[in-house]
Amino acid sequence: MFRGAITALATPFINGQLDEDALRRIVRWQIAEGINGLVPVGTTGESPTLSEAEHKRVIEITAEETNKRIPVIAGAGSNNPVEAVEYSDHALKSGADATLHVAGYYNRPNQAGLYEHYRFVHDNSELPIVVYNIPPRAIVGLEVDTLAKLAELPRIIGVKDATGDLTRPIRERALIKKAFSFLSGDDLTSVAYNAGGGHGCISVTSNIAPAKVVELHQLCLAGEFVKAQALQDQLFTLHNALFCEPSPAGVKYGMSLLGLCSDECRLPVMPLSEQGKATIKNAMLGLHLI
């Protein structure tokens, strides 16, 4: 099972190209800060605007730098299940430990279609699969019964939940009896999600403050929810600030202040406004991150 703080890695660019040196530096720093896992090429990694070659290279570098010290859950999702299988096969060859799969965007399948998409990927790939349930971006989402049915497939082993419904882990645990990773997809509500039975978070904020996010989720796993809530209160301003403008512009700017990479994003994500920069810088100063 995957647990704790898992970073949804931003993809660094320099002059429009993948910055491989920065990516290696970021992965090494994340491990040194105690992170529990990494997700390359998710939404925060700007997967929609990466070329196929870039997508694959990011996963290769992440797996190479981690060298099995922590889990790598490779973003491999597509609304085309054949493409999702191709990315899954590449993730396996690259040394990833699992794959993360979103489905449904633009196609807008019904629940039967969503199930069959994931079943096709499951039956035609080899790595464990974490399902990414994010109706705010994909328009459609997996219902509780559908996720429970998917969990009957042996290599579907977890969910990244970005539904915003904090009853989901409670209702899903009532139906899913095998070992299964319930992971929040939202830093702001992750403590409440964990209190409902979750095991951690695939986090955006941990791109900026990995050690603090690790501490937060270790407290949750230990059942220390009063202490976890107090730390969450400290992190709230940063959680909020990073989404003051479309992500990952805020994350990239924060990382640039830490000297990890440039703040460059790809269109249609725009650079931060001066006001946005001030908001994020002040939040980081408040946590003594810079």
Side-chain angles (χ1 to χ4, degrees), residues 126-145:
E126 297 181 37
L127 285 173
I129 293 169
V130 177
V131 173
Y132 188 9
N133 196 13
I134 182 164
R137 287 189 184 269
I139 303 301
V140 293
L142 289 161
E143 295 177 0
V144 171
D145 289 347

Side-chain angles (χ1 to χ4, degrees), residues 69-96:
R69 288 178 287 176
I70 57 172
V72 173
I73 307 171
S78 173
N79 60 345
N80 176 356
V82 175
E83 182 178 56
V85 168
E86 180 184 345
Y87 280 137
S88 298
D89 289 344
H90 175 265
L92 174 66
K93 292 173 185 174
S94 299

Side-chain angles (χ1 to χ4, degrees), residues 94-161:
S94 299
D97 301 284
T99 52
L100 178 69
H101 285 273
V102 67
Y105 61 89
Y106 196 77
N107 298 347
R108 299 180 67 184
N110 58 18
Q111 293 300 299
L114 286 167
Y115 176 82
E116 291 300 331
H117 172 99
Y118 281 108
R119 188 165 73 92
F120 180 91
V121 175
H122 174 276
D123 291 350
N124 291 281
S125 64
E126 297 181 37
L127 285 173
I129 293 169
V130 177
V131 173
Y132 188 9
N133 196 13
I134 182 164
R137 287 189 184 269
I139 303 301
V140 293
L142 289 161
E143 295 177 0
V144 171
D145 289 347
T146 306
L147 182 65
K149 185 179 177 184
L150 283 170
E152 294 172 4
L153 300 173
R155 285 182 299 97
I156 292 187
I157 53 81
V159 63
K160 176 184 178 182
D161 189 305

Side-chain angles (χ1 to χ4, degrees), residues 84-276:
V85 168
E86 180 184 345
Y87 280 137
S88 298
D89 289 344
H90 175 265
L92 174 66
K93 292 173 185 174
S94 299
D97 301 284
T99 52
L100 178 69
H101 285 273
V102 67
Y105 61 89
Y106 196 77
N107 298 347
R108 299 180 67 184
N110 58 18
Q111 293 300 299
L114 286 167
Y115 176 82
E116 291 300 331
H117 172 99
Y118 281 108
R119 188 165 73 92
F120 180 91
V121 175
H122 174 276
D123 291 350
N124 291 281
S125 64
E126 297 181 37
L127 285 173
I129 293 169
V130 177
V131 173
Y132 188 9
N133 196 13
I134 182 164
R137 287 189 184 269
I139 303 301
V140 293
L142 289 161
E143 295 177 0
V144 171
D145 289 347
T146 306
L147 182 65
K149 185 179 177 184
L150 283 170
E152 294 172 4
L153 300 173
R155 285 182 299 97
I156 292 187
I157 53 81
V159 63
K160 176 184 178 182
D161 189 305
T163 64
D165 181 353
L166 294 174
T167 71
R168 291 289 300 233
I170 302 167
R171 292 188 288 140
E172 289 162 358
R173 286 189 303 107
L175 298 177
I176 299 172
K177 299 304 181 182
K178 72 177 188 181
F180 199 78
S181 293
F182 292 95
L183 300 169
S184 171
D186 176 31
D187 282 294
L188 276 169
T189 58
S190 61
V191 171
Y193 183 89
N194 288 342
H199 302 117
C201 181
I202 296 180
S203 168
V204 174
T205 301
S206 58
N207 279 284
I208 306 296
K212 289 185 179 295
V213 178
V214 167
E215 181 185 356
L216 176 79
H217 289 285
Q218 292 306 310
L219 288 169
C220 289
L221 288 168
E224 298 280 357
F225 285 104
V226 174
K227 292 180 181 178
Q229 190 59 59
L231 182 53
Q232 181 77 321
D233 288 347
Q234 294 175 33
L235 288 166
F236 171 78
T237 301
L238 181 60
H239 291 330
N240 223 27
L242 292 176
F243 288 89
C244 65
E245 295 177 27
S247 185
V251 173
K252 290 273 190 80
Y253 177 69
M255 294 171 78
S256 76
L257 294 179
L258 295 171
L260 293 169
C261 62
S262 79
D263 63 353
E264 185 176 326
C265 294
R266 283 193 174 159
L267 291 173
V269 176
M270 295 292 290
L272 279 186
S273 66
E274 291 305 313
Q275 181 178 352

Side-chain angles (χ1 to χ4, degrees), residues 58-77:
V58 169
I59 291 169
E60 289 167 2
I61 290 170
T62 305
E64 181 182 324
E65 287 292 335
T66 57
N67 195 26
K68 297 296 181 182
R69 288 178 287 176
I70 57 172
V72 173
I73 307 171

